[in-house]
Amino acid sequence: KVDKEKTDELRKWMEEENITTGINIDEDTKRYYPNNNLASQIIGFCGSDNQGLDGIEAKYDTVLSGTKGAIKRHTDAKGAEIGEEGEKYVAAKNGKDVILTIDMNVQSIVEKYLEEACIDNVCTDGGSIIAMNPKNGDILAMATYPAYDLNSPYEPHTDEQKAEWKNLDSQDRTTAMQKMWRNKAISDTYEPGSVFKTITSSAALEEGIVTDIDKQGQFCCTGGIEVAGVRIKCWRYYRPHGSESLRLALMNSCNPVFIGLGQKIGVTKYYEYLRKFGLFNKTGIKLPGEANSIFIKEEKAGPVELATISFGQRFEITPLQMVTAVSSIANKGTYIKPRIVKSIINSETGEKKDMPIETGEQIISKENAEKVLSMMNSVVSEGTGKNAKVEGYQVGGKTGTSEDGVNTGKYVTSFCGVANTDDPQIVLLITLYNPTGEGGHQGGGVAAPVGGKILSEVLPYLDSKADIDKIM
């Protein structure tokens, strides 16, 4: 199990020393990953016998592997041949090619800025980013930091990991490796915080609780709201937002307004929308290790539980579930299932099998979906997400900040962006775990700028790619 370079040195030495016996060199094959750590948690890696152990390698191991060749003959217990058929040769079959939806350029851009964000903001628990095409569900990029080198998956990758590696015992190293391999975008759950207000807005519009998103004075923030004897504060309780429209409430990320909307929607109807948005089930993406959401059961959800859910706290979902829900809004209100495998090609015959684009029910009307996107556009142009602006593009978004568990002192900061809001090509979700740097832990100050940097490179690229596709 040594690389060709080593055997080349050995052959040269044997030739120089005129050694022709005693040393035997057998050629073998193994998986090699030319892009090293690119999309590592998606692709996964193989063991010493080329069996898939993680990611796509594990999920599609039987498809990728093919079958070994063999020589068959009938013998008795002593090995003597039975019958006159003789030996039969069964040819080996090559495995099939699995084509991912991942765009290598988008993935590279996403990984570059995710690493930069986690280092600059001292995110002790890493981060993840998902970029999804809302029209067909294609995952254009999915990144987790820290990543690892697919060619050496059992070795530390980042400087921090290398520094602490020598102090770890074997069990701690195993735990560290499993954490490194873990795809946080699908395997870890988190409280989405204010990004989830896009879901509450969608339900309120569809139920007719709000019809005019710009009706000033429809809501009033007094710094908090009392729910079943419990006063829940607005994040800006010290200087209440006062009179607001729904657009302003989303721009200001005003908790009391969304608590009030949740109350009017009611538990039964609200949970119906959670189901329609696919938040009670795994998405079914073709990757191993997908987790499911954690919600309090409907029959146990009281006024306080409904209130906290309405502004995105005290429940947990995966980043993939969150980006899928927002993508469904961007897909004119129709649920769109995420897709990581685009097609499978028979490497011998060239036959191509395309994976289907799967949609679900119409969750909200096209008109209401457009209203939500319009409000998200205002969040970026004038509200808490203004750090995600990209010159020349209509970017919509919503920031989020939530506690990572109860009384842990840790936070999760996030930003979900949609561009362009008049014809969405991409939905981007950035999730950073426990940022402890000087920039703080607010979504608008920490995650939104990352979204702006990524979109400023990805959007021109997608435009040029679309122009090339038209020519082709």
Side-chain angles (χ1 to χ4, degrees):
K1 300 296 181 182
V2 297
D3 292 335
K4 185 175 181 295
E5 289 78 10
K6 293 288 184 184
T7 57
D8 286 344
E9 289 181 30
L10 181 59
R11 284 192 178 97
K12 184 179 178 183
W13 176 81
M14 290 170 65
E15 187 177 331
E16 290 172 349
E17 299 297 324
N18 196 29
I19 297 174
T20 57
T21 59
I23 299 175
N24 194 41
I25 300 174
D26 292 326
E27 291 191 0
D28 196 6
T29 59
K30 71 171 184 177
R31 266 288 200 240
Y32 175 70
Y33 303 92
N35 295 305
N36 299 313
N37 63 316
L38 188 75
S40 55
Q41 282 96 351
I42 298 171
I43 296 171
F45 57 94
C46 291
S48 57
D49 294 324
N50 285 335
Q51 77 278 22
L53 297 180
D54 202 4
I56 290 290
E57 292 282 23
K59 192 75 174 181
Y60 283 85
D61 185 50
T62 55
V63 177
L64 292 162
S65 297
T67 56
K68 295 180 179 179
I71 294 175
K72 294 183 178 181
R73 62 191 181 104
H74 293 168
T75 62
D76 59 22
K78 294 181 179 179
E81 192 170 312
I82 301 173
E84 298 178 357
E85 294 89 349
E87 293 183 339
K88 181 181 179 183
Y89 173 66
V90 179
K93 287 186 178 180
N94 290 327
K96 295 178 181 178
D97 298 330
V98 176
I99 311 301
L100 302 184
T101 61
I102 296 296
D103 185 300
M104 189 171 172
N105 292 308
V106 179
Q107 181 75 24
S108 299
I109 294 167
V110 162
E111 289 191 10
K112 175 179 68 175
Y113 286 113
L114 175 61
E115 180 177 10
E116 178 185 283
C118 288
I119 293 173
D120 289 352
N121 294 289
V122 196
C123 299
T124 63
D125 297 328
S128 69
I129 298 179
I130 305 173
M132 182 170 169
N133 182 339
K135 293 183 176 181
N136 56 16
D138 282 0
I139 300 297
L140 303 176
M142 181 183 286
T144 293
Y145 181 84
Y148 63 95
D149 191 332
L150 291 167
N151 293 304
S152 52
Y154 300 100
E155 297 176 13
H157 184 62
T158 66
D159 291 338
E160 292 84 355
Q161 290 170 336
K162 291 174 183 177
E164 66 179 16
W165 204 254
K166 58 186 177 183
N167 299 321
L168 301 178
D169 59 28
S170 59
Q171 185 174 348
D172 288 338
R173 285 187 178 185
T174 299
T175 302
M177 283 188 291
Q178 290 173 342
K179 185 178 179 182
M180 184 172 67
W181 301 334
R182 191 176 180 86
N183 188 344
K184 295 174 76 69
I186 68 168
S187 298
D188 286 10
T189 57
Y190 77 115
E191 292 186 12
S194 294
V195 171
F196 206 74
K197 289 169 183 171
T198 56
I199 306 303
T200 304
S201 298
S202 299
L205 286 166
E206 194 66 15
E207 289 302 303
I209 295 167
V210 180
T211 54
D212 183 355
I213 59 176
D214 292 306
K215 185 178 179 182
Q216 189 63 24
Q218 186 166 11
F219 306 101
C220 184
C221 172
T222 59
I225 186 171
E226 190 166 306
V227 179
V230 177
R231 183 165 177 78
I232 302 176
K233 293 181 179 179
C234 178
W235 68 270
R236 211 177 76 172
Y237 64 91
Y238 51 87
R239 186 159 56 90
H241 294 111
S243 176
E244 295 177 293
S245 62
L246 184 58
R247 185 189 298 273
L248 276 174
L250 194 67
M251 287 167 59
N252 294 328
S253 201
C254 182
N255 289 348
V257 170
F258 292 93
I259 292 171
L261 290 175
Q263 290 174 328
K264 290 179 181 178
I265 296 167
V267 171
T268 302
K269 186 60 71 172
Y270 198 97
Y271 269 61
E272 187 178 315
Y273 279 98
L274 295 179
R275 179 192 61 76
K276 287 180 178 180
F277 274 108
L279 296 169
F280 291 145
N281 300 306
K282 298 177 183 180
T283 68
I285 194 169
K286 301 299 184 182
L287 285 170
E290 183 180 10
N292 200 3
S293 58
I294 304 170
F295 281 93
I296 188 170
K297 290 184 178 180
E298 182 181 337
E299 56 270 22
K300 293 184 178 180
V304 175
E305 288 77 16
L306 177 59
T308 55
I309 290 173
S310 299
F311 62 91
Q313 296 196 3
R314 299 300 178 263
F315 68 91
E316 294 188 9
I317 59 177
T318 64
L320 182 61
Q321 286 175 315
M322 186 72 251
V323 78
T324 300
V326 176
S327 291
S328 298
I329 297 171
N331 188 37
K332 301 178 181 179
T334 300
Y335 179 84
I336 183 75
K337 182 178 177 179
R339 184 175 71 157
I340 193 73
V341 174
K342 194 170 190 176
S343 57
I344 296 175
I345 300 175
N346 188 313
S347 56
E348 295 186 335
T349 65
E351 182 184 358
K352 182 180 179 183
K353 178 185 177 184
D354 291 324
M355 296 296 104
I357 296 169
E358 297 182 52
T359 58
E361 60 186 304
Q362 186 84 30
I363 308 167
I364 60 174
S365 68
K366 177 186 174 184
E367 293 72 25
N368 286 330
E370 288 173 349
K371 287 179 180 179
V372 176
L373 292 178
S374 173
M375 292 189 293
M376 292 176 73
N377 188 269
S378 297
V379 170
V380 172
S381 61
E382 303 173 62
T384 57
K386 58 191 174 199
N387 285 325
K389 285 182 186 177
V390 179
E391 193 68 33
Y393 292 92
Q394 293 293 315
V395 177
K398 186 69 193 80
T399 57
T401 308
S402 61
E403 294 178 85
D404 190 1
V406 180
N407 298 323
T408 62
K410 293 184 176 183
Y411 292 88
V412 179
T413 183
S414 59
F415 171 77
C416 189
V418 180
N420 284 301
T421 47
D422 55 347
D423 183 24
Q425 307 295 318
I426 186 171
V427 177
L428 183 73
L429 178 64
I430 298 150
T431 313
L432 304 175
Y433 298 90
N434 197 35
T436 59
E438 295 179 359
H441 58 257
Q442 296 299 322
V446 176
V450 183
K453 290 176 182 178
I454 292 171
L455 291 173
S456 67
E457 291 193 28
V458 168
L459 291 174
Y461 163 71
L462 292 179
D463 283 349
S464 63
K465 185 179 178 184
D467 291 340
I468 292 171
D469 289 342
K470 286 178 184 178
I471 297 171
M472 298 293 287

